[in-house]
Amino acid sequence: MIQFRSLFLARGARLLIDNLSLQIHPGWRVGVIGANGTGKSSLFALLRGELHQEQGELDLPPAWTIAHVAQETPALASSALDYILDGDTELRRVQRDLAAAEAAHDGHLIGELHTRLQEIEGYAATARASTLLHGLGFSDADFSRPVSDFSGGWRMRLNLAQALMCRSDLLLLDEPTNHLDLDAVVWLEKWLAAYRGTLLLISHDRDFLDACVTHIAFLEAQKLTLYTGNYDDFEDQHAAQLAQQQALFEKQQREVAHLQKYIDRFRAKATKARQAQSRIKALARMERITAAHVDTPFDFSFPEPDRAPDPMVTLKNLKLGYGDKTILDRVKLELRPGARLGLLGPNGAGKSTLIRLLAGELAAQGGTALFGKGVVLGYFAQHQLEQLRPDESPLQHLIRQEPLTREQELRDYLGGFDFRGPMADAKVAPFSGGEKSRLALALLIRHKPNLLLLDEPTNHLDLDMRHALTLALSEYDGSMVLVSHDRALLRTVCDDFLLVADGVAEPFDGDIDDYLVWLDARRNREAAANMDVQAADDKATRIANREAEKADRQAKLQRRRPLLKELEQLEKKLAAWQEEKKQLDERIADPALYTRGDSSEVQSLLKRQGELAASIDSGEERWLDIQTEIEGIGEL
Ligand SMILES: Nc1ncnc2c1ncn2[C@@H]1O[C@H](COP(=O)(O)OP(=O)(O)OP(=O)(O)O)[C@@H](O)[C@H]1O
Ligand SMILES: [Mg+2]
């Protein structure tokens, strides 16, 4: 059990947790939520012993193995598979000890270590690591690639796999979905459902939380409060608590009424299409969610865009890729004003590539891409955060974009993104990922785009900001292409989906739930294909083994045959020699031979006797040698 007793936690002068007393029981799965910068990651640092409390006590069972995701990946030459296996520290220790015991011929220790290896399922470790790598989107070819070969995002996935490999009692996951796409997120959900230890999970993804947790720990105003149930349950309870404050209750009523009106208008013109119906449901759900977020510090919306051309973008027979590798072919797409397109598709299929083409970051390999006159792009992708100027403030960024606008207006605008007071004038350099994303979005929205291209816009954003962004996008009048692993966002803002998979991009006739079913079926197909490959491999191995055995037998026969023949001849010769010698011995032993007085006859008989004895001697020696040679060739 984890127990906090009257605990105070601070970072420098800033108090993060004020007088916390709380118990977390073994087997609980706790979603840790709270706004950006409230101290969730710092709480994890405390549990890992990297940060110390100011006051109070933290009890953790000393025998517990704690797993967490490393934030850095050393540029190692070892293979991805080995790196994942390193996550099981006991396995690695037993393997090392075993190698030492074998070198020392310590039979007793070797036996003990093999038993331990069996107990910790060490023989299945590679299979377990392969499952983790496949689930997180790695291909077979990646397994042997050195860690240093992988890009930043993929190294984070390796770190995640390494943490999952650890047979832990407590698993700490800090926003694990940030570097994943939807199929990996869904896989991780299933993996976590089977995890037997205690889980603490920081996440800002409501669908993910709902699938994974039994409790919610909400960190707000230095207080960590525990709620039983999943994220949805928490939000209901939280909304009820907020409603007890008169001012917030009135705001809830106002916002929900506004949303209700918007949804009614939308419902009136929406089609019967499955996705449009799903979107109506998702928007209706927003009413309830809005009540739980009325104390949000965010208040922004998209300005009405300028008139847009129709069509905005036309792609015909487009070919896309990098270098001489083609990723998508024969892409056909027409984006009209007001289009809300979500790009779905498995990891690495080319969703970001397509967005980069639309953003003009990437040239086509073939085909035509026509952009209407008057398209104002608003492109957001994680790599663009690097384009923020570290030594400038949010306000300076905005002034650079709009030198003629009154400063107060810009400050008010930034306030809607919670860059208030000193934050508006603070340098961007030390900003967290969430704060940088928020600033990039603020700059982009201010630009009045009529075509939004959003590639994973919610990474690092807290739930309040996600909700605010979802609301703003719902009411946005321009066109939009979105890639996201946040199912709540996809459901709420997209009207149509394009499925990017297997080298093509085609309209997907269904909603997010249909897509999840599609993904599942695809995974099963792949697993079955893998099993077929495995079975075929096994069969091929068996055939190869049989062939090898046959060839081996043939080779042995070929080597034995002349030996056996020689043996047979030798035995005949030996028998003849022995027979001759026996008769000779008898004659030489006969006294009559000597009475005749013919010494030359005696001489020749004795000579022959010596010859025969020598032949028999060497013949017997050869016979023994042949026997040894035949034994050396082995059984057939
Ligand atoms: N290494 C550090 N040294 C000093 N201050 C830090 C350090 N890391 C974080 N902080 C500060 O501590 C506070 C809490 O940060 P923390 O990273 O724990 O927040 P968080 O809840 O995880 O936020 P997010 O949702 O953005 O990840 C912030 O004000 C942050 O600026
Ligand atoms: Mg954090």
Side-chain angles (χ1 to χ4, degrees):
M1 181 164 76
I2 306 171
Q3 191 154 21
F4 300 91
R5 273 180 292 177
S6 312
L7 184 133
F8 291 75
L9 182 68
R11 281 269 196 200
R14 189 164 164 206
L15 185 64
L16 298 175
I17 294 180
D18 180 4
N19 198 7
L20 171 65
S21 293
L22 187 87
Q23 292 176 357
I24 296 173
H25 292 271
W28 280 12
R29 303 149 172 278
V30 184
V32 180
I33 62 164
N36 288 136
T38 45
K40 302 176 298 296
S41 299
S42 304
L43 181 70
F44 275 18
L46 171 76
L47 287 163
R48 292 207 314 274
E50 283 174 11
L51 196 64
H52 217 74
Q53 65 266 37
E54 303 289 297
Q55 266 185 55
E57 269 144 79
L58 166 62
D59 292 337
L60 259 173
W64 272 15
T65 301
I66 303 179
H68 78 281
V69 182
Q71 291 308 301
E72 309 282 326
T73 322
L76 291 173
S78 59
S79 73
L81 186 66
D82 269 334
Y83 185 68
I84 305 313
L85 285 167
D86 289 344
D88 192 338
T89 43
E90 188 178 0
L91 170 75
R92 287 312 206 193
R93 199 176 54 239
V94 173
Q95 284 175 337
R96 265 196 311 276
D97 293 351
L98 197 56
E102 271 162 3
H105 302 290
D106 183 343
H108 181 67
L109 189 56
I110 292 174
E112 267 180 10
L113 289 169
H114 272 294
T115 309
R116 185 65 196 141
L117 210 52
Q118 178 99 43
E119 281 164 5
I120 64 174
E121 293 177 1
Y123 301 112
T126 305
R128 210 149 54 84
S130 309
T131 307
L132 292 172
L133 283 168
H134 279 145
L136 290 173
F138 292 90
S139 67
D140 286 339
D142 290 331
F143 286 29
S144 53
R145 279 173 62 197
V147 171
S148 54
D149 244 31
F150 293 91
S151 66
W154 284 97
R155 284 196 204 176
M156 289 311 293
R157 290 191 193 213
L158 286 176
N159 287 352
L160 175 58
Q162 199 189 51
L164 302 183
M165 188 67 199
C166 174
R167 288 167 303 103
S168 56
D169 302 290
L170 174 62
L171 176 58
L172 301 176
L173 294 180
D174 191 344
E175 300 189 42
T177 61
N178 272 356
H179 302 276
L180 303 183
D181 44 18
L182 189 47
D183 53 345
V185 171
V186 174
W187 175 85
L188 181 59
E189 262 173 30
K190 289 189 181 141
W191 190 93
L192 287 174
Y195 175 67
R196 287 288 146 252
T198 304
L199 172 69
L200 292 189
L201 170 66
I202 300 175
S203 175
H204 301 297
D205 182 328
R206 61 174 58 242
D207 284 76
F208 186 64
L209 282 166
D210 268 339
C212 296
V213 305
T214 55
H215 295 76
I216 291 285
F218 178 44
L219 181 55
E220 187 194 39
Q222 287 101 46
K223 295 287 181 194
L224 186 71
T225 317
L226 194 71
Y227 294 79
T228 303
N230 62 12
Y231 182 74
D232 254 0
D233 300 330
F234 155 77
E235 223 165 34
D236 285 346
Q237 294 173 54
H238 187 56
Q241 281 165 4
L242 293 178
Q244 282 163 13
Q245 302 169 47
Q246 189 56 35
L248 287 180
F249 175 74
E250 280 163 17
K251 194 170 171 217
Q252 276 180 343
Q253 303 292 90
R254 269 200 316 277
E255 306 244 317
V256 169
H258 166 79
L259 200 55
Q260 177 69 56
K261 244 186 159 141
Y262 167 77
I263 298 165
D264 288 344
R265 259 205 328 274
F266 174 73
R267 190 176 273 133
K269 62 175 188 185
T271 65
K272 287 270 179 292
R274 184 159 161 89
Q275 175 46 29
Q277 293 305 308
S278 281
R279 190 166 166 227
I280 288 172
K281 265 194 225 137
L283 285 168
R285 192 165 167 241
M286 291 280 281
E287 289 177 357
R288 220 194 70 228
I289 294 168
T290 297
H293 289 268
V294 281
D295 56 344
T296 175
F298 306 113
D299 179 17
F300 60 87
S301 58
F302 283 85
E304 178 104 3
D306 295 329
R307 256 186 65 83
D310 187 7
M312 303 191 79
V313 183
T314 313
L315 306 182
K316 271 188 206 150
N317 200 18
L318 208 78
K319 197 171 175 176
L320 276 174
Y322 302 92
D324 50 11
K325 195 170 159 214
T326 296
I327 293 181
L328 290 175
D329 204 356
R330 281 169 289 137
V331 177
K332 195 179 109 195
L333 182 67
E334 187 175 75
L335 277 179
R336 309 206 40 201
R340 304 170 150 270
L341 187 64
L343 300 188
L344 302 176
N347 154 51
K351 302 181 293 282
S352 293
T353 306
L354 182 52
I355 286 228
R356 290 186 61 202
L357 172 107
L358 292 170
E361 262 198 9
L362 188 75
Q365 288 178 335
T368 50
L370 292 172
F371 286 81
K373 233 176 121 194
V375 170
V376 183
L377 284 181
Y379 174 42
F380 178 92
Q382 289 297 316
H383 65 266
Q384 284 178 317
L385 300 186
E386 287 149 28
Q387 283 173 16
L388 294 174
R389 294 162 186 257
D391 51 349
E392 288 190 3
S393 67
L395 184 66
Q396 283 170 312
H397 277 88
L398 208 51
I399 290 175
R400 198 179 277 282
Q401 199 167 302
E402 284 181 47
L404 302 178
T405 311
R406 259 183 342 117
E407 185 180 310
Q408 190 54 47
E409 188 187 328
L410 298 181
R411 281 189 188 278
D412 290 346
Y413 177 74
L414 284 171
F417 291 86
D418 202 24
F419 292 115
R420 291 168 220 272
M423 268 302 264
D425 295 307
K427 282 187 178 171
V428 163
F431 277 16
S432 69
E435 286 163 341
K436 283 184 186 160
S437 291
R438 215 194 305 150
L439 176 57
L441 285 167
L443 296 174
L444 176 150
I445 291 171
R446 186 76 191 174
H447 214 67
K448 289 215 303 191
N450 54 22
L451 176 56
L452 272 182
L453 304 170
L454 304 176
D455 191 349
E456 296 291 3
T458 61
N459 276 348
H460 306 287
L461 297 182
D462 63 29
L463 276 150
D464 271 335
M465 179 59 191
R466 283 184 196 215
H467 179 69
L469 180 64
T470 308
L471 275 180
L473 284 172
S474 298
E475 299 192 52
Y476 169 65
D477 285 326
S479 298
M480 184 182 70
V481 181
L482 170 68
V483 174
S484 178
H485 59 251
D486 187 321
R487 282 156 282 179
L489 182 67
L490 286 169
R491 276 196 191 96
T492 316
V493 307
C494 295
D495 275 342
D496 296 295
F497 291 117
L498 193 69
L499 180 60
V500 181
D502 306 317
V504 291
E506 275 164 358
F508 182 75
D509 182 22
D511 61 12
I512 287 296
D513 297 312
D514 296 325
Y515 172 64
L516 295 182
V517 171
W518 181 89
L519 263 184
D520 214 35
R522 181 187 169 91
R523 243 184 218 291
N524 289 340
R525 261 205 318 278
E526 273 170 5
N530 268 340
M531 250 146 64
D532 283 353
V533 169
Q534 187 70 47
D537 277 357
D538 286 352
K539 193 171 169 202
T541 311
R542 280 201 307 277
I543 291 173
N545 282 344
R546 267 207 302 275
E547 292 291 319
E549 272 169 32
K550 216 164 110 189
D552 188 47
R553 233 172 98 92
Q554 292 291 343
K556 281 180 182 169
L557 273 173
Q558 234 157 40
R559 284 171 58 204
R560 270 168 70 129
R561 204 169 288 132
L563 292 172
L564 288 171
K565 201 165 167 190
E566 190 185 344
L567 203 63
E568 196 188 317
Q569 284 167 353
L570 193 58
E571 279 168 357
K572 271 188 199 148
K573 266 192 216 159
L574 275 170
W577 288 332
Q578 267 152 356
E579 182 54 35
E580 189 185 346
K581 185 165 173 284
K582 197 176 135 211
Q583 287 173 12
L584 205 58
D585 288 347
E586 276 168 20
R587 279 179 68 189
I588 290 171
D590 183 0
L593 177 67
Y594 306 95
T595 54
R596 282 202 295 272
D598 185 348
S599 71
S600 71
E601 193 188 352
V602 174
Q603 285 292 321
S604 80
L605 287 179
L606 283 174
K607 190 174 162 245
R608 180 69 190 146
Q609 187 194 36
E611 278 170 12
L612 282 172
S615 292
I616 290 169
D617 230 31
S618 70
E620 278 174 350
E621 210 158 296
R622 177 68 192 143
W623 188 90
L624 278 173
D625 282 350
I626 294 172
Q627 288 294 355
T628 320
E629 255 184 85
I630 290 174
E631 267 169 42
I633 291 170
E635 295 286 320
L636 288 181

